[in-house]
Amino acid sequence: MKRLAILGATGSIGTQTLQVVDAFPGQFEVVILAGHSNWQLLLQQAEKYHPACIVVTEPTAYEKLKQENRDPGCAVLCGMQGVLSALDTYQIDMLVGAMSGAAGIEPTLKALEMGIDLALANKETLVAGGDLVRKAQQKSGAKILPVDSEHSAIFQCIEPGSKCLNKILLTASGGPFRTWDKEALYQVTPAQALKHPNWSMGQKITIDSATLMNKGLEVIEANWLFGVDYDNIQVLVHPQSIIHSMVEYGDGTVLAHLGKADMRIPIQYALTWPERAANPFPKLDFTKLAGLEFFDPDYDKFPALALAFQAGRTGKSAPAVLNGANEIAVAAFLKEQIGFMDIPALVGWVVEQHNPVEIESFAHLLEIDRWARNQAELFVKNHKK
Ligand code: NDP
Ligand code: MG
């Protein structure tokens, strides 16, 4: 039995990870479950999966759970400190990193340092802390299995040891505003941006998908995971989300990964790797596909993608600043404090003021992240809608 810790258990990836666990009885043991504010769901999950420990990272939610007087049948810890202490206390074989945002970085780094394999959904970890992740991984030998559908696809298309990989073709649905005029994008509301055409995901990544910042973060993620230069990562808009990404080789061969837009498939692959196991989830029916389209992304309408490429190429602390600023921008947009097109404007403004430096440690990364967030808050404060 593979022993799992699932961080972000109450979210979109977390709950789908538990569906994968359900599909393979006897193969996985859920040892640690962590959620942030949704203590009710975490409690239900504890009652169903009997973990050794649950962690509520949001203190008020922790208090509410305690007041409930319902015995979850396991240890209950609080806060990020609780997550770190659970990792020290309980034996696990794999950590599923599915917290949203930069909060996921610290426990992910700790797991890697401890030599625990990682099923990684939290792309912010690699974007902001790529250097630290690589060092921790090299030291301990822990593996990173990508959960992000595009990176899982690329991981499966890359032939081990191949010397003639030309480029990665990273596919993007294009989001809900792919066909909109640029002028209309200034009027986009949170409700409109939260309606993704193909995927059902958490709020932050759904907004990132609408601005194409998500694809930008994925470009940086791909650079870290596969060591492919930015010049050799091509973003390709593919509205049907059937091809999850491709790899082109020097002999002209292109290997593509196709499948339904169902995150349980890449989650499962990360959990069962190197095995590929049959599951009961719906399969692709080619006779029902109307056609597959491909376009270049529109960098003018979606400047976030260009900003991410630029931050990735600059390297050092630039991607961490891009990431921190973007998290504040997305939260401000959701609260209707800034407009949709202000998201890339804010991120560009913060990145421009930053003088990139090598990230020395996790404490240093936190300092840079805090600086980026403070600058972003300043932009929001001075902004007039
Ligand atoms: P959700 O918003 O659905 O879930 C986020 C999870 O993280 C929840 O369990 C939430 O707890 C928890 N969380 C939120 N804030 C904090 C915090 N400050 N500290 C600790 N935990 C926190 O997000 P998704 O599941 O969609 O995404 C999770 C990660 O996976 C993101 O990094 C995203 O980019 C990545 N990803 C997601 C994909 C998807 O299809 N959803 C695809 C590819 C990558 P609670 O709900 O209890 O408050
Ligand atoms: Mg993705």
Side-chain angles (χ1 to χ4, degrees):
M1 287 244 267
K2 198 177 259 184
R3 294 165 296 185
L4 301 178
I6 306 174
L7 309 187
T10 47
S12 164
I13 293 289
T15 49
Q16 291 181 89
T17 302
L18 289 168
Q19 289 175 28
V20 172
V21 168
D22 292 342
F24 294 91
Q27 283 205 33
F28 301 104
E29 182 187 348
V30 178
V31 179
I32 302 170
L33 289 171
H36 190 59
S37 56
N38 194 347
W39 59 272
Q40 298 94 330
L41 179 57
L42 195 60
L43 204 52
Q44 284 171 22
Q45 291 175 342
E47 286 162 355
K48 176 168 177 191
Y49 295 96
H50 309 293
C53 166
I54 56 173
V55 191
V56 190
T57 45
E58 210 281 301
T60 332
Y62 171 79
E63 288 307 325
K64 285 191 183 142
L65 185 144
K66 282 285 183 190
Q67 283 158 15
E68 186 72 357
N69 262 338
R70 222 160 97 195
D71 179 16
C74 63
V76 184
L77 301 177
C78 175
M80 192 52 74
Q81 216 36 55
V83 175
L84 302 178
S85 124
L87 292 178
D88 278 330
T89 311
Y90 304 99
Q91 286 282 329
I92 54 163
D93 303 304
M94 178 171 260
L95 180 124
V96 180
M99 285 176 172
S100 59
I105 301 175
E106 191 173 14
T108 309
L109 277 176
K110 180 173 172 88
L112 284 177
E113 279 161 7
M114 292 171 75
I116 297 166
D117 289 345
L118 193 65
L120 184 64
N122 179 270
K123 58 193 82 184
E124 294 86 348
T125 295
L126 274 172
V127 171
D131 253 325
L132 302 177
V133 167
R134 177 172 292 171
K135 278 184 201 142
Q137 195 190 8
Q138 278 171 349
K139 223 164 155 185
S140 73
K143 291 181 215 55
I144 300 182
L145 286 316
V147 165
D148 212 342
S149 58
E150 295 79 359
H151 304 76
S152 174
I154 296 160
F155 179 67
Q156 294 175 61
C157 291
I158 288 187
E159 296 168 336
S162 170
K163 291 191 181 63
C164 71
L165 191 151
N166 259 5
K167 64 175 174 182
I168 284 174
L169 293 139
L170 189 71
T171 52
S173 72
F177 311 124
R178 183 177 62 84
T179 56
W180 285 36
D181 289 339
K182 187 174 179 187
E183 280 315 304
L185 294 182
Y186 288 88
Q187 310 308 325
V188 163
T189 64
Q192 288 169 321
L194 284 170
K195 278 200 198 104
H196 194 278
N198 303 345
W199 299 93
S200 157
M201 310 178 286
Q203 287 203 339
K204 197 263 177 180
I205 183 175
T206 304
I207 302 300
D208 284 348
S209 299
T211 59
L212 292 203
M213 180 59 91
N214 181 53
K215 210 44 56 181
L217 300 179
E218 289 183 356
V219 167
I220 301 173
E221 189 185 4
N223 169 267
W224 279 114
L225 282 172
F226 307 113
V228 174
D229 285 348
Y230 287 98
D231 290 344
N232 299 326
I233 302 175
Q234 180 186 349
V235 173
L236 202 55
V237 174
H238 165 46
Q240 292 77 21
S241 297
I242 294 296
I243 295 183
H244 298 306
S245 274
M246 303 183 261
V247 171
E248 181 193 284
Y249 290 93
D251 66 347
T253 298
V254 177
L255 296 185
H257 176 287
L258 285 75
K260 274 199 163 300
D262 181 343
M263 280 310 294
R264 292 174 302 182
I265 300 170
I267 294 170
Q268 179 193 314
Y269 192 70
L271 261 53
T272 63
W273 182 88
E275 304 295 325
R276 190 184 294 283
N279 63 32
F281 309 144
K283 305 292 184 283
L284 199 59
D285 179 351
F286 278 84
T287 62
K288 300 238 160 67
L289 296 181
L292 302 181
E293 298 170 292
F294 304 97
F295 309 99
D296 275 328
D298 186 332
Y299 289 92
D300 181 45
K301 266 183 3 188
F302 301 104
L305 182 55
L307 285 171
F309 260 109
Q310 197 186 325
R313 286 194 165 101
T314 304
K316 298 184 180 175
S317 50
V321 167
L322 173 100
N323 182 64
N326 181 56
E327 283 191 27
I328 297 296
V330 170
F333 169 68
L334 287 171
K335 284 187 250 163
E336 301 192 28
Q337 293 169 331
I338 62 171
F340 184 73
M341 289 304 271
D342 294 320
I343 298 176
L346 179 159
V347 174
W349 182 77
V350 175
V351 170
E352 217 168 83
Q353 294 172 72
H354 179 64
N355 188 16
V357 290
E358 295 289 352
I359 297 178
E360 313 286 348
S361 61
F362 178 64
H364 188 204
L365 171 58
L366 278 187
E367 206 181 289
I368 290 163
D369 178 69
R370 208 171 303 125
W371 177 86
R373 284 165 199 268
N374 285 341
Q375 292 303 108
E377 301 278 13
L378 207 64
F379 180 102
V380 175
K381 212 173 122 201
N382 294 332
H383 178 76
K384 300 227 179 344
K385 263 190 88 177

